[in-house]
């Protein structure tokens, strides 16, 4: 329930009371004197679902200059209120949808002061960069908890559907600034780590597991951001845990932004582009999902042919988000396809190696591992080679082995991948076996 207190300017008392009486609302009205003029203060309890329609009716009646205070009410004991509750619950349980007016206030409250916002993001960027460089999932998760990204992500879209231009522009400005701050801080910290020798220069830094999944994103990356946007709006409108949802939104933005900074500091600009594409896709996904969820939840202009100042803005931003996602989905789809082909080729190669090694002439050999490797052309990588490692007491290079494996792989794969056979020589030491040498032979089929 909610308890509303409306300070009505002089001469508007009757218009307000007519609306309340028409709705069947119990009220208490008293004439009071403020610092400026004599006003009428009207107080009354209403179900949550009634707040928005009643305030809309008051607005339609020309009561736009009234001061309205909405307060949470624990309980109301009144037979007339029970009838009102039944009316607005449509025969079912009482509704919990937050009114547009309260929604706007909550979104604004979740957006911190700019200075605090920047400081918290700088701390989050430092933690995320350290976590990615050290390949520590726990530290990366810690960076997500710190980041105050929930408010800006929700404020922008609440501002769109409620026609609050200031809230909308603040939300989008905070999002852009937030991403820029994290990327800039990550570049600085990664450069310091590289120059200090904490992470040696010249290595392929993206082999770190926490980085690799963010510099070559696939279509499944969209699921996290879309889910975060939907959950964020539901937390705002239905009272779910906002802290947990805030971590989810940060998970879609903080680590990829830090990955952009790290790969830029390492001069791996292709990987940086891949991570930045993921950041942009996640920003668009969060906003698109939030806007769509608000629309489905009923926060939209009513009436198909109604001329509303928010209708054009809602459709415009929805179109921008949708087109942006469609354009960026193309490279993500290409990466997803390569990953699917890699998995398929890996399975094919394993079967081919097992079949070849069944030949009696290779009785002394056993398959150690089969790995499909991609090239370093981030973010749109392609299959580079199949690396087969075999082990034996005295294998020696077997020219026919590589050729036969290549034949089998080539017959079941698109294109003609290079097959690299590595021989791990082992020696017996009592009951133990120890590796002592590795010999490599490469077959490309040319």
């Amino acid at each position: 329930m909610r308890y509303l207190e409306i300070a009505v300017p002089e001469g508007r008392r009757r218009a307000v009371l007519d609306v309340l009486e028409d709705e069947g609302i119990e009220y208490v009205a008293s004439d009071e004197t403020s610092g400026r003029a004599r006003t009428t203060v009207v107080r009354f309890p209403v179900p949550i679902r009634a707040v928005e329609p009643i305030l809309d009716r008051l607005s339609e009646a020309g009561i736009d200059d009234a001061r309205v205070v909405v307060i949470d009410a624990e309980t109301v004991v009144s037979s007339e209120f029970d009838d009102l509750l039944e009316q607005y619950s449509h025969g079912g349980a009482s509704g919990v949808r937050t009114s547009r007016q309260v929604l706007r206030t909550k979104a604004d409250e979740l957006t911190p002061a700019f200075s605090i916002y920047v400081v918290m993001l700088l701390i989050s960027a430092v933690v995320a960069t350290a976590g990615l460089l050290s390949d520590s999932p726990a530290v990366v998760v810690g960076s997500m908890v710190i980041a105050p990204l929930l408010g800006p992500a929700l404020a922008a879209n609440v501002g769109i559907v409620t026609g609050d231009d200031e809230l909308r522009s603040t939300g989008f400005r905070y999002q852009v600034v937030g991403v820029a701050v994290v990327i800039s801080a990550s570049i600085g910290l990664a450069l310091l780590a590289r120059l200090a020798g904490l992470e040696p220069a010249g290595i392929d830094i993206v082999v770190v597991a926490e980085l690799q999944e963010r510099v070559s994103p696939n279509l499944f990356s969209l699921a996290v951001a879309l889910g975060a946007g939907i959950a964020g709006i539901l937390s705002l409108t239905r009272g779910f845990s906002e802290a947990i949802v805030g971590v989810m939104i940060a998970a879609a933005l903080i680590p990829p932004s830090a990955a952009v900074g790290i790969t830029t500091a390492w001069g791996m600009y292709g990987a940086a582009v891949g991570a930045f594409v993921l950041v942009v896709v996640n920003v668009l996904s969060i906003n698109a999902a939030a806007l769509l969820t608000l629309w489905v939840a009923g926060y939209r202009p009513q009436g198909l042919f109604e001329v509303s100042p928010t209708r054009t803005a809602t459709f415009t931003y929805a179109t921008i988000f949708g087109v942006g996602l469609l354009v960026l989905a193309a490279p993500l789809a290409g990466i997803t396809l390569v990953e699917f082909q890699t998995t398929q080729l890996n399975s094919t190669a394993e079967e081919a190696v097992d079949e070849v090694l069944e030949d009696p002439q290779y009785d002394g050999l056993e398959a150690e591992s089969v790995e499909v490797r991609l090239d370093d052309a981030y973010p749109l990588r392609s299959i580079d080679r199949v690396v087969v490692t075999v082990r034996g007491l005295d294998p020696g290079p077997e020219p026919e082995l590589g050729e036969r494996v290549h034949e089998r792989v080539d017959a079941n794969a698109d294109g003609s991948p290079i097959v690299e056979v590595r021989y791990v020589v082992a020696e017996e030491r009592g009951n133990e076996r120890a590796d002592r040498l590795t010999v490599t032979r490469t077959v490309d089929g040319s």
Side-chain angles (χ1 to χ4, degrees), residues 106-163:
K106 289 178 69 176
D108 187 53
E109 288 176 349
L110 286 171
T111 305
F114 187 75
S115 58
I116 298 298
Y117 178 71
V118 171
V119 170
M120 293 299 289
L121 280 178
L122 284 172
I123 298 172
S124 179
V126 170
V127 175
T129 304
L132 290 173
L133 288 174
S134 60
D135 197 19
S136 172
V139 176
V140 174
V141 171
S143 71
M144 303 172 193
V145 177
I146 299 171
L149 293 174
L150 176 63
L154 303 184
N157 295 283
V158 171
I160 291 172
V161 298
T162 60

Side-chain angles (χ1 to χ4, degrees), residues 187-227:
I187 291 175
L189 185 61
L191 281 173
L192 288 176
R194 187 178 179 185
L195 293 174
L198 300 178
E199 291 289 341
I203 68 169
D204 185 3
I205 191 65
V206 295
V207 298
V208 175
E210 286 293 316
L211 268 174
Q212 196 167 36
E213 63 188 48
R214 293 179 172 94
V215 298
S216 189
N218 56 32
L219 283 174
F220 297 109
S221 305
L222 290 172
V224 174
L226 290 172

